[in-house]
Amino acid sequence: MYYTLLEPWALRGYKGRLLYLEAAGFRDRPRPISAGMFSLLCRCDGKTPMDSLTEEETRTLQQLEKHGLVRSSGTPQPWQPWQEYRYFDNRRIISAAWGITGRCNARCRHCFMGSDTAVTPDEFTWEECRKLIGEMEECGIRNVMLTGGEPLVHPDFFRIVKAIAEKGMHVTRIYTNALRLTEETLRRLEEDGQRPEMIISFDGLGVHDWMRNVPGAEEKALAAIAMCKEHGLKIRVSMNLNAVTLPSAERTVVRLAEMGTDTIFIIRTTQTPKWLDQGKNTLGDDEYMEMQLKLIGILRRSRKWNTRIRFFNGLEVGPETTPEDISREECNWFSEEVEDSAWCGKCVDSFFVAGDGRVLPCDAFEGGTVSGDFLMKDNNVHTRPLREILNDSEYSRMIALSKKELLEYNPECRACEWCSLCHCGICRACGIAALAVRAGTYHGMDPMKGICTPDPIQCRFYKGGYFARLKKLLEETR
């Protein structure tokens, strides 16, 4: 008799804990296991005969098979090489977002990366790409999200995808403006076994060309959404909401829902260095949240579409979402090292590599950190190994901020009735932006003060009654 550990399960160890059973590449929290269980699962490799089992081992395997973790067979059925035990001397990180290039073929008015403003945009060479892909795999990373700039303008885009696939990793998302997205692009991705979620920028009917500063961008984006849908790919649209796009928001969301868009991430265009130069087009907190509620109401009451709306504060609402779903306390930590983290789940179980090689908590930090001159020193993959940066750098010290430390910095938040749900605002990048707006500049900012600054829009969401109104809306539209 042979037993095989089924995919996506794998045996892992990480800094702080040696023995885990985890769904490799998924956000589910890994399961600590005993030495005895570890020994048993090591033999579930599909090629080791398991005829001499104790009664306890037999019962354990029967339970594991019942719950879909292993499968028994009379013939060898080897597991995948990546399921074998590996120890990674860093915290558990399941994915990496990677800006493979700083170049972009759009001139977006709000770009937090400022991709079109650099004199010489940064871009990874092919050899640098190969090196980083290898280092990611050696840190236990299974999923890679490709972004830029515009990732499709990188001359080695398809070589990068193939190299990721050859390491047994997956391209799970591609962030694109869709200006160069074609049938050929999707065909070549499929040839390498990659079916990523496509994150397509679209800011509104009649206004998208203005936001992206490219004539014809709207037509190409809508065509790309339809094409990806035909290929059966998941589609998430990133939609900026500001004073210019606001009038078209309702009909835009309806159009995207009619096209079968899976998720619409409605972003209040934030106060990045570049957007601050555009004038006073940023929506107030109330304007943004009023429109969020209106859009959710439109989709929920129609009962025709399965499209989900994602808030910038992390909430995601679909046709089946209940008031109870949004009332649970956030549990965003996924490793022993950052238990009770002050950061959102995205920053805890992932990181962002900018086009210049800097490792950052997420992509929203790129432009602000350059303007504020922080996270610029010892966190660059061109000068240090990735594992060293994850374990000991300005980045690692910043990401170690705990919820307890955050609340000690903000006693007024600690005393707030919404503290268990809000956590001083879930987005640390929004705190930095809020501090920059107050000061009128990112220059000279104390980065720790920035990330500890409460996100004012999150505060308004709870204290201003929008959370209560959202719960009521969900109850009325069950």
Side-chain angles (χ1 to χ4, degrees):
M1 179 67 70
Y2 300 87
Y3 283 87
T4 304
L5 185 65
L6 297 178
E7 298 183 39
W9 298 101
L11 299 174
R12 294 289 183 263
Y14 295 93
K15 187 177 181 180
R17 186 177 288 275
L18 291 177
L19 303 179
Y20 274 129
L21 174 65
E22 72 167 26
F26 289 83
R27 294 187 70 183
D28 307 62
R29 197 169 189 184
R31 307 177 184 184
I33 55 177
S34 66
M37 177 65 81
F38 174 74
S39 176
L40 183 62
L41 289 173
C42 282
R43 288 180 281 159
C44 293
D45 58 4
K47 52 189 178 183
T48 300
M50 299 183 70
D51 299 318
S52 302
L53 295 168
T54 66
E55 290 185 9
E56 183 179 353
E57 287 175 332
T58 299
R59 286 194 300 270
T60 299
L61 287 170
Q62 288 172 345
Q63 286 296 311
L64 291 174
E65 189 162 23
K66 179 182 177 181
H67 289 95
L69 275 72
V70 302
R71 180 178 58 231
S72 59
S73 175
T75 58
Q77 295 185 8
W79 63 8
Q80 296 296 322
W82 56 263
Q83 293 178 277
E84 297 179 10
Y85 177 76
R86 291 184 67 183
Y87 173 75
F88 303 102
D89 191 22
N90 48 262
R91 79 172 196 271
R92 181 180 186 248
I93 301 174
I94 65 170
S95 61
W98 180 14
I100 57 177
T101 178
R103 292 190 298 128
C104 188
N105 51 352
R107 297 292 179 267
C108 305
R109 298 176 185 274
H110 65 291
C111 182
F112 49 76
M113 299 177 183
S115 294
D116 61 312
T117 60
V119 177
T120 306
D122 297 293
E123 184 170 88
F124 278 75
T125 66
W126 168 237
E127 286 304 316
E128 290 169 342
C129 288
R130 289 181 57 188
K131 175 177 175 290
L132 183 56
I133 291 168
E135 291 188 12
M136 287 180 182
E137 193 276 336
E138 291 169 0
C139 289
I141 293 162
R142 293 277 294 158
N143 303 325
V144 182
M145 300 172 282
L146 297 179
T147 183
E150 167 55 44
L152 294 177
V153 305
H154 195 292
D156 295 306
F157 175 80
F158 292 107
R159 293 175 78 186
I160 293 169
V161 171
K162 184 176 288 293
I164 290 170
E166 288 173 348
K167 286 288 187 181
M169 300 155 70
H170 304 283
V171 177
T172 52
R173 285 181 174 178
I174 295 175
Y175 293 76
T176 178
N177 57 35
L179 294 174
R180 295 185 64 166
L181 187 60
T182 64
E183 289 279 357
E184 174 72 3
T185 306
L186 301 184
R187 182 187 66 78
R188 294 185 67 174
L189 287 169
E190 290 168 359
E191 286 178 354
D192 286 319
Q194 306 299 313
R195 293 183 58 78
E197 181 180 19
M198 303 303 294
I199 316 297
I200 297 174
S201 301
F202 186 72
D203 299 313
L205 298 169
V207 294
H208 186 63
D209 288 8
W210 179 84
M211 278 292 293
R212 303 292 159 173
N213 253 329
V214 176
E218 176 175 328
E219 181 181 354
K220 290 184 178 180
L222 292 174
I225 292 168
M227 179 177 63
C228 291
K229 192 66 181 177
E230 289 173 3
H231 281 255
L233 297 176
K234 287 187 67 176
I235 303 164
R236 176 181 296 224
V237 168
S238 292
M239 176 180 162
N240 272 278
L241 203 60
N242 53 60
V244 178
T245 64
L246 187 67
S248 66
E250 294 176 47
R251 60 192 181 96
T252 298
V253 164
V254 170
R255 175 73 174 276
L256 292 172
E258 289 173 342
M259 296 178 72
T261 302
D262 296 286
T263 307
I264 306 173
F265 184 17
I266 300 182
I267 308 163
R268 183 179 72 156
T269 312
T270 51
Q271 299 94 330
T272 59
K274 190 172 181 183
W275 185 248
L276 287 173
D277 294 335
Q278 300 292 319
K280 298 186 180 300
N281 286 318
T282 300
L283 294 182
D285 297 346
D286 293 307
E287 292 176 292
Y288 172 67
M289 287 182 283
E290 289 288 352
M291 181 53 72
Q292 286 274 35
L293 292 177
K294 182 177 289 188
L295 296 175
I296 290 170
I298 289 171
L299 293 185
R300 295 267 297 194
R301 292 188 175 97
S302 74
R303 304 191 184 279
K304 294 188 294 185
W305 306 300
N306 291 320
T307 301
R308 303 176 67 83
I309 294 282
R310 185 170 179 82
F311 280 64
F312 198 58
N313 63 2
L315 289 176
E316 188 167 299
V317 176
E320 75 292 347
T321 304
T322 68
E324 294 75 24
D325 291 333
I326 67 167
S327 300
R328 300 188 181 101
E329 292 187 15
E330 292 281 348
C331 295
N332 286 318
W333 46 88
F334 297 91
S335 72
E336 299 295 322
E337 188 180 349
V338 285
E339 186 78 31
D340 199 31
S341 176
W343 297 81
C344 69
K346 175 182 175 181
C347 293
V348 172
D349 68 6
S350 181
F351 59 85
F352 174 66
V353 182
D356 61 3
R358 289 179 301 132
V359 175
L360 304 171
C362 76
D363 50 3
F365 276 78
E366 187 166 8
T369 53
V370 172
S371 298
D373 192 30
F374 58 93
L375 284 173
M376 298 288 291
K377 300 178 179 66
D378 61 354
N379 54 311
N380 197 302
V381 296
H382 295 319
T383 57
R384 296 186 71 196
L386 176 60
R387 177 170 285 131
E388 287 187 10
I389 295 171
L390 296 179
N391 287 339
D392 184 18
S393 65
E394 186 181 2
Y395 158 80
S396 70
R397 290 184 287 277
M398 182 175 284
I399 207 71
L401 180 71
S402 71
K403 195 182 304 179
K404 179 181 178 181
E405 292 170 314
L406 182 65
L407 292 175
E408 286 175 353
Y409 196 91
N410 296 289
E412 71 282 5
C413 291
R414 185 170 51 195
C416 178
E417 62 178 309
W418 301 107
C419 180
S420 63
L421 287 170
C422 177
H423 311 311
C424 303
I426 203 67
C427 180
R428 306 274 66 86
C430 287
I432 286 177
L435 189 61
V437 169
R438 291 176 203 163
T441 180
Y442 282 81
H443 296 291
M445 178 184 294
D446 175 352
M448 191 55 66
K449 183 177 180 180
I451 65 171
C452 288
T453 298
D455 174 9
I457 192 170
Q458 185 88 327
C459 186
R460 185 65 183 156
F461 176 72
Y462 288 103
K463 290 186 175 180
Y466 292 97
F467 176 70
R469 288 174 59 189
L470 177 58
K471 288 181 66 175
K472 182 180 178 182
L473 173 61
L474 296 181
E475 186 63 50
E476 292 172 349
T477 56
R478 274 185 189 260

